[in-house]
C-alpha cells in the first residue's frame, strides 16, 4: 500500500461512478495515507483539498454518541436508568434508557415525519415532548433493533439538558476542539472551512447536477449535521484503538464500551445494515476480526468509516455524489487486496429462479408515519411501495430474505420478512435496518 496506488485507485473509481470529488484516508500498519481527487463543486470547479469538509450525514451519530458517553463517564447521565427524570419532556423516557437510544433498541420510530411542527426551528425540547411519547413507540424498548433517527434527536436533547449548551456548542467544545478538529455544520452557523457540494448523478439524462443545500431540519442536527474530512474521520477512529494514548476526550474504558455489541439478547438484529451494534457504532464481522464503523448519506453525498480497534487500522471515504456508495462497494475489494479488513461483504445475489412467495408476505407494514405496502407483482414476485408510489421489486429467497431492487435505478439492498413468534406468521418487514410491524 502506498499513496500512489491509493490515489490512482480513488481517481479511477471516482471517474467510473461519476463522483466529482472524493477523499480517502487510511491508517494501516502504523502508516497514514491521505489522498483526494476531483472538485468540491462542478459549478465552481474548486478542487477538493486535504481539509475540505464533506457533509457526513448519519456518520454524525457516533460523534453524538461519544459526547453522550463522555457525560456518562463524568457521572452526569446513567446508561441504564429511564430518562424521564433527567428529561421530563421525554414521555417515553419512563421506559427508555440511554443505552437503548444509542444502540437503536429504544422502540422509537425511525424517521422524523416530514413537515412535522417544530422540526425546522430546532427546538428539540418541544419536538421531543410532542413526538416521543410512550404512545409513539413502535416496539417495546429493549426487544428488537430498529434504526432510529428520532432516538438520536432525543440524545441530542439530553446533551443540551445536561450541559446547558446547544448540541452544536457541546459537540464542538467537549469533543471536537480537544481533538483539534474544526467542525463545519450543514445547518446552523455558517461554515468555517470549505464544504463540498453534493451532486445527483442522473444516468438517464447523462448529467451530474449540483445540490447546493442539505435538506436537514435543525431538530435533526444530532443525526446528520456534521461536515468533516476523511482525515477528521480516521482521527476520530483513533480514539478507539487499543493502544491510543491518554489523555483523550474519551477514556479507555468508555471507548471500549462503545465498541461492545449490545444485541446479544435482542430477538431481531440489524440485518441489512451490520452484524451487530455497539453504543453508536455498527459492528461488521470480518471473519478473523470485528470491524466497527458507520455510513452516512447526505443530499448528494456518501461517506463511510471503518476501523479495527484491535490492530489499529482505519479507512474513511468521503464522496460528493449519490453514487458514492457504489464507489465504496467497488473500493472495498481493492482495499482487501491491499491487506486492509473493512468488514463489508458483497450483497447476496438474488436467486435466478425466485421461489414461490409465501401467501402472508403481502400486506401493510408501518414504522411511525412511514407505511410500506407489499403486494404481488405482475410476474408473480413482490412489489414494494411507500409514500404512495411503487419503489422496488423484492427478489425473495426461500428463507424470507430478499434483494430490494429499486425501479428505474436498479440499485440493490438487502432486506427480509420476519416471522412473529407469537403467531407463526410473518409479522415484520425489515429494510435498511428499519423494522416495520405488520399493520
Amino acid at each position: 500500500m502506498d499513496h500512489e496506488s491509493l490515489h490512482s485507485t480513488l481517481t479511477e473509481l471516482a471517474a467510473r461512478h461519476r463522483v466529482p470529488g472524493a477523499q480517502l484516508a487510511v491508517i494501516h500498519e502504523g502508516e497514514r495515507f491521505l489522498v483526494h481527487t476531483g472538485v468540491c463543486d462542478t459549478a465552481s470547479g474548486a478542487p477538493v483539498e486535504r481539509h475540505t469538509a464533506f457533509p457526513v450525514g448519519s456518520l454524525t451519530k457516533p460523534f453524538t454518541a461519544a459526547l453522550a458517553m463522555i457525560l456518562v463517564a463524568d457521572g452526569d447521565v446513567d446508561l441504564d436508568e429511564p430518562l424521564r427524570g433527567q428529561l421530563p419532556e421525554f414521555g417515553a423516557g419512563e421506559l427508555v434508557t440511554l443505552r437503548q437510544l444509542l444502540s437503536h433498541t429504544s422502540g422509537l420510530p425511525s424517521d422524523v415525519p416530514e413537515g412535522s411542527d417544530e422540526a425546522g426551528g430546532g427546538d428539540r425540547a418541544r419536538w421531543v415532548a410532542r413526538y416521543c411519547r410512550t404512545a409513539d413507540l413502535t416496539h417495546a424498548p429493549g426487544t428488537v433493533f430498529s434504526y432510529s433517527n428520532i432516538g438520536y434527536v432525543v440524545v441530542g436533547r439530553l446533551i443540551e439538558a445536561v450541559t446547558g449548551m446547544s448540541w452544536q456548542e457541546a459537540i464542538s467544545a467537549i469533543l471536537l476542539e480537544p481533538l483539534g478538529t474544526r467542525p463545519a455544520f450543514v445547518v446552523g452557523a455558517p461554515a468555517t472551512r470549505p464544504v463540498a457540494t453534493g451532486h445527483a448523478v442522473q444516468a438517464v439524462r447523462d448529467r451530474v447536477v449540483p445540490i447546493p443545500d442539505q435538506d436537514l431540519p435543525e431538530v435533526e442536527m444530532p443525526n446528520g449535521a456534521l461536515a468533516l474530512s476523511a482525515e477528521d474521520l480516521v482521527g476520530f477512529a483513533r480514539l478507539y484503538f487499543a493502544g491510543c494514548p491518554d489523555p483523550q476526550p474519551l477514556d479507555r474504558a468508555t471507548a471500549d464500551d462503545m465498541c461492545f455489541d449490545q444485541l446479544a439478547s435482542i430477538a431481531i438484529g440489524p440485518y441489512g445494515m451490520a452484524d451487530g451494534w455497539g453504543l453508536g457504532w455498527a459492528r461488521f464481522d470480518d471473519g478473523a476480526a470485528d470491524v466497527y464503523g458507520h455510513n452516512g448519506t447526505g443530499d448528494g453525498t456518501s461517506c463511510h468509516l471503518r476501523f479495527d480497534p484491535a490492530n489499529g487500522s482505519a479507512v474513511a471515504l468521503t464522496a460528493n455524489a449519490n453514487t458514492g456508495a457504489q464507489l465504496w462497494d467497488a473500493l472495498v475489494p481493492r482495499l482487501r487486496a491491499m491487506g486492509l479488513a473493512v468488514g463489508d461483504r458483497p450483497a447476496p445475489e438474488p436467486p435466478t429462479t425466485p421461489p414461490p412467495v409465501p401467501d402472508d408476505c403481502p400486506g401493510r407494514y408501518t414504522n411511525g408515519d412511514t407505511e410500506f405496502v407489499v403486494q404481488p407483482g405482475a410476474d408473480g414476485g413482490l412489489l414494494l411501495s411507500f409514500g404512495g408510489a411503487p419503489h422496488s421489486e423484492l427478489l425473495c429467497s426461500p428463507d424470507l430474505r430478499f434483494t430490494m431492487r429499486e425501479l428505474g435505478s436498479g440499485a440493490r439492498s438487502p432486506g427480509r420478512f420476519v416471522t412473529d413468534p407469537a403467531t407463526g406468521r410473518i409479522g415484520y418487514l425489515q429494510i435498511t435496518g428499519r423494522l416495520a410491524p405488520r399493520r
Side-chain angles (χ1 to χ4, degrees), residues 276-333:
W277 217 275
L279 298 172
W281 291 115
R283 179 183 66 81
F284 303 88
D285 181 0
D286 200 67
D290 283 340
V291 176
Y292 291 82
H294 212 289
N295 298 335
T297 302
D299 292 318
T301 67
S302 185
C303 302
H304 306 259
L305 174 63
R306 300 288 184 272
F307 63 92
D308 182 342
N311 71 12
S313 63
V315 56
L317 171 72
T318 57
N320 65 348
N322 59 337
T323 53
Q326 298 170 34
L327 193 167
W328 171 253
D329 289 342
L331 179 65
V332 164

Side-chain angles (χ1 to χ4, degrees), residues 204-226:
V204 173
R205 298 186 178 183
D206 191 30
R207 64 181 186 177
V208 179
V209 181
I211 304 175
D213 299 308
Q214 295 290 309
D215 184 17
L216 183 78
E218 286 196 34
V219 76
E220 291 203 73
M221 289 182 73
N223 298 339
L226 282 175

Side-chain angles (χ1 to χ4, degrees), residues 271-273 346-351 354-358 360-363 365 372-375 381-386 391-406 411-419 426-436 438:
Y271 179 79
M273 290 191 79
E349 289 293 326
V357 175
D360 54 351
C361 285
Y365 303 81
F372 303 94
V373 179
V374 178
Q375 56 194 10
L382 293 175
L383 187 68
L384 173 70
S385 301
F386 63 87
H391 179 270
S392 306
E393 57 180 333
L394 306 183
L395 309 175
C396 294
S397 299
D399 60 359
L400 299 180
R401 302 185 186 204
F402 56 77
T403 298
M404 185 172 73
R405 185 165 64 192
E406 292 185 24
R412 296 182 178 187
S413 55
R416 63 177 175 174
F417 295 98
V418 182
T419 301
I426 291 171
Y428 302 94
L429 172 72
Q430 188 174 34
I431 55 175
T432 59
R434 280 81 169 164
L435 190 68
R438 181 187 288 274

